[in-house]
Amino acid sequence: PSNWTCVAEIKTIQLETRPVDPYSVNIWVIDKDAALYVHAGENRATWVEHMLDDPTVRVRIEGKLYTLTSTRVTEQAEFDQFADAYEKKYDRRPRSENVKQAYLFRLSEPTGT
């Protein structure tokens, strides 16, 4: 989609990492502009490791699959905007809000599509 407002009311999506040997998790999601955001806090979970190795992911939202590219967020200002949206949607702040310690990923359309 041209934007992800369709996930505004959806609490959890399915995220698939590691295309060569797929690994999936159910995860909370935030939509902002033309991207989705997923957050692991300071937990370097298996899916985080996979996305650091290969940024290609797929998400399933209401039965539809989308291939996206993940990028780790490194700017505190972008993280702060995510945290505000996270609090609005889930009624709590993210566990860790230090962009240097937390694993926050922006999911967007692959370049060239």
Side-chain angles (χ1 to χ4, degrees):
S2 59
N3 67 58
W4 292 100
T5 56
C6 62
V7 302
E9 301 301 317
I10 297 171
K11 297 277 187 189
T12 305
I13 63 166
Q14 291 177 310
L15 171 70
E16 180 185 275
T17 61
R18 196 178 58 196
V20 296
D21 185 15
Y23 180 89
S24 298
V25 295
N26 294 323
I27 192 164
W28 286 1
V29 64
I30 296 297
D31 67 293
K32 175 126 179 50
D33 302 324
L36 298 175
Y37 289 84
V38 293
H39 180 250
E42 293 179 22
N43 181 15
R44 196 170 170 120
T46 300
W47 62 268
V48 169
E49 291 286 338
H50 294 167
M51 289 178 13
L52 292 172
D53 289 341
D54 182 346
T56 304
V57 299
R58 292 194 322 168
V59 295
R60 182 191 314 258
I61 302 170
E62 295 187 320
K64 294 181 183 173
L65 284 174
Y66 303 93
T67 300
L68 302 171
T69 298
S70 63
T71 305
R72 185 171 179 193
V73 173
T74 59
E75 297 296 323
Q76 189 65 50
E78 184 176 6
F79 192 100
D80 293 344
Q81 291 176 350
F82 156 80
D84 291 343
Y86 186 97
E87 181 177 30
K88 183 176 179 183
K89 184 172 183 176
Y90 296 106
D91 291 327
R92 67 178 83 171
R93 300 293 292 180
R95 290 183 304 268
S96 174
E97 294 190 49
N98 182 333
V99 75
K100 290 180 168 92
Q101 296 174 344
Y103 293 96
L104 173 64
F105 291 88
R106 178 185 337 102
L107 309 180
S108 53
E109 269 195 64
T111 307
T113 59

